[in-house]
Amino acid sequence: MSDHGAPAKRSKLLPENAYRKLKEGEVYHPIVPPEDTRAEVTAWSVTVGLIMVVIFSAACVYIALRAGNGIEASIPIAILAIFFGKMRQIKSTILENVIVQSIGQAAGVVAAGAAFLVPALYLNELSPTWWHTFLACFIGGCLGVVLIIPLRKYFVRDLHGDLPFPEATAVNEILCSGESSGPTAGKVPIPAFLLGGCYDFLVEGMHLWSPEVGSGELLHSLGLTGMSDAMGGMRIEIVLAAIAALFGLGYIIGLKYASIIAAGSVLAYLVMVPLIYFFGQHGGAFDYAGKTYDIANMSAGGIFANFVKPIGIGAIAISGLVGIIRMGKIVVGSISLGFKGLSGTHDTSNEPRTQIDMNPKNVLLIQLAMAALFAVLFFVVAKTTVNTSGPMPHTTYSMGDSIMYALVGAVVGYALSFLFTPVAAQAIAIVGVNPVSGMTLITVVLTILVLVAFGLKGTGGMFV
């Protein structure tokens, strides 16, 4: 891997400037030129893509619950697309394989977002219906797709070579290897895919050994009990999650960005956690945000989860806000084009086919339609859910209250989607991972603050 996460050995199909910054006046010519009109959306690509959605939705939910974060499923789906595509009598093209992985990988983030929230309802002894989950994921997913459209040219074309796009780079190399006519094309990733799958099955499925290696257990096994106790007393703890999925992610990201992530982990676990314990152990118990904390009796993991992790989430949010400010002209320009398109036509006659996005008018109309559907969903939820708070816990919200909560909820839902779409895009462009868990926490906190201020509480409030 290079410093930017690009492979040291580039596919022969790709031009020399595929992963580097373009010089002034230099043009990038993709391996599929605009004049290539081969079919992309075919019965085969859509069918296989939907099968991948079913399989990898389950996988992504499992990883979300197991590791506390979502995964991008593009890489294994791209490998499988090539594998099954070469088994056809008429081999699939690179364009069909792109559609397969594009459809299939969409399962990851949506499924992970649901995995972080739906269990919370059951933990609060609520039972969401299938349509609660389906409509929330469907509307939010559609809104996210149309919100990312105006940012495509900024990230992919304007910042060509500036950002590593680790996972997209890996997918690109896999797809290019599958397009090659050589006898081993597309076969190299298959053994690696199977090897990683077997390893994780033995660890996660068969439980033949622990997937986590902690400094305390390791030092005890080496007979260094005193050192282990001393580190534990200072709340210094190192835990490695030894599963193939995370190992592969580090390799794909590359040395530079993997080092940055590792440095953040070192700062969190070996500096901030011990410092919080050192200064807080003599303060006694205290109440904060409805919970009681006693740092002197908290483990390193407890200190990290309650104090350090929120700091990291806040850092992600601030980084995203900076990115939003940097992309402000792009976003504002897109909205402006959308409003102009409502009264006119969008001229794309001078643009190559591959640079034509959906009509800005349609993008804006879909965004407004999704926000309206949000309002309808929130109204139905507020009107049909029993409110368990207040002097009459079994009455529903009034018509006026339900309308107000629907409008406020729709505005908050759209605003947070608008803000977090570029945050997610930037995170994926830099480290290849969408910080779904952190953004989910921020979304829940901000939503609660706004809706509670408008009086929405109780069971209905939790659902909304």
Side-chain angles (χ1 to χ4, degrees):
M1 292 288 198
S2 69
D3 286 343
H4 284 285
K9 186 177 180 180
R10 187 184 69 256
S11 170
K12 294 180 180 180
L13 291 177
L14 293 171
E16 178 273 333
N17 58 359
Y19 297 123
R20 65 166 175 80
K21 292 184 65 173
L22 301 179
K23 300 175 183 177
E24 188 174 352
E26 186 179 7
V27 179
Y28 174 70
H29 298 285
I31 61 174
V32 180
E35 55 271 16
D36 189 336
T37 57
R38 285 179 291 173
E40 301 176 55
V41 181
T42 63
W44 183 87
S45 63
V46 173
T47 301
V48 176
L50 292 176
I51 293 173
M52 295 297 140
V53 166
V54 174
I55 296 172
F56 283 92
S57 290
C60 291
V61 168
Y62 173 75
I63 290 294
L65 296 174
R66 173 66 180 79
N69 209 335
I71 62 168
E72 305 296 328
S74 296
I75 294 174
I77 292 174
I79 294 172
L80 292 174
I82 294 171
F83 179 75
F84 291 119
K86 287 186 174 293
M87 295 173 63
R88 299 174 66 198
Q89 185 174 4
I90 301 176
K91 295 181 179 179
S92 61
T93 66
I94 189 172
L95 298 178
E96 289 179 301
N97 292 336
V98 167
I99 295 299
V100 171
Q101 70 88 25
S102 297
I103 294 175
Q105 66 85 30
V109 178
V110 176
F116 293 132
L117 281 180
V118 173
L121 296 176
Y122 285 101
L123 289 173
N124 284 282
E125 300 182 352
L126 304 175
S127 298
T129 62
W130 67 268
W131 60 266
H132 280 125
T133 305
F134 172 76
L135 290 177
C137 292
F138 175 77
I139 298 172
C142 293
L143 185 57
V145 169
V146 291
L147 284 172
I148 201 68
I149 289 174
L151 303 178
R152 180 187 71 89
K153 291 180 181 178
Y154 172 77
F155 277 105
V156 178
R157 184 185 65 183
D158 299 348
L159 296 182
H160 182 103
D162 282 338
L163 299 172
F165 281 100
E167 186 159 24
T169 298
V171 170
N172 190 42
E173 289 296 319
I174 292 168
L175 293 172
C176 288
S177 72
E179 187 74 357
S180 172
S181 58
T184 61
K187 295 181 180 179
V188 174
I190 297 296
F193 175 64
L194 295 176
L195 179 62
C198 290
Y199 176 85
D200 274 359
F201 175 73
L202 294 176
V203 177
E204 301 282 86
M206 303 295 293
H207 302 289
L208 295 186
W209 61 87
S210 174
E212 292 188 350
V213 181
S215 56
E217 293 82 356
L218 181 61
L219 292 174
H220 272 292
S221 65
L222 296 175
L224 302 175
T225 305
M227 182 180 295
S228 174
D229 293 341
M231 291 178 62
M234 294 184 292
R235 301 302 189 269
I236 295 177
E237 182 180 5
I238 302 174
V239 179
L240 301 178
I243 58 177
L246 299 181
F247 175 81
L249 178 62
Y251 180 80
I252 292 168
I253 289 173
L255 181 61
K256 176 181 177 180
Y257 289 94
S259 299
I260 293 173
I261 295 174
S265 299
V266 170
L267 175 65
Y269 277 99
L270 301 185
V271 178
M272 298 185 71
V273 169
L275 278 178
I276 290 174
Y277 174 74
F278 179 78
F279 288 106
Q281 61 180 318
H282 303 297
F286 63 94
D287 294 327
Y288 179 71
K291 292 182 65 176
T292 301
Y293 300 95
D294 187 358
I295 294 179
N297 295 318
M298 294 177 69
S299 65
I303 295 174
F304 172 80
N306 289 285
F307 300 110
V308 179
K309 187 175 182 179
I311 295 175
I313 294 172
I316 292 173
I318 293 299
S319 173
L321 290 175
V322 172
I324 292 170
I325 293 173
R326 291 176 58 188
M327 292 179 278
K329 291 183 179 179
I330 305 295
V331 175
V332 172
S334 170
I335 296 174
S336 175
L337 281 175
F339 280 111
K340 290 179 181 178
L342 292 174
S343 57
T345 58
H346 181 54
D347 184 18
T348 58
S349 57
N350 295 325
E351 295 185 54
R353 179 182 64 85
T354 51
Q355 292 299 328
I356 299 176
D357 288 330
M358 180 184 289
N359 191 308
K361 176 181 69 174
N362 296 334
V363 172
L364 182 61
L365 289 175
I366 294 174
Q367 291 180 23
L368 296 176
M370 291 303 107
L373 287 178
F374 264 142
V376 173
L377 175 61
F378 296 149
F379 173 80
V380 173
V381 169
K383 199 70 182 116
T384 58
T385 305
V386 173
N387 183 9
T388 58
S389 66
M392 294 185 294
H394 297 292
T395 58
T396 55
Y397 298 106
S398 66
M399 180 67 71
D401 286 341
S402 297
I403 293 174
M404 180 179 66
Y405 300 148
L407 295 176
V408 174
V411 171
V412 173
Y414 177 83
L416 293 178
S417 300
F418 182 86
L419 290 174
F420 285 143
T421 297
V423 173
Q426 188 171 10
I428 291 173
I430 295 175
V431 298
V433 177
N434 191 342
V436 184
S437 59
M439 292 192 294
T440 301
L441 286 174
I442 297 174
T443 299
V444 171
V445 171
L446 294 179
T447 303
I448 289 173
L449 291 175
V450 175
L451 293 179
V452 168
F454 279 86
L456 182 60
K457 300 178 181 179
T459 305
M462 292 183 186
F463 273 115
V464 173

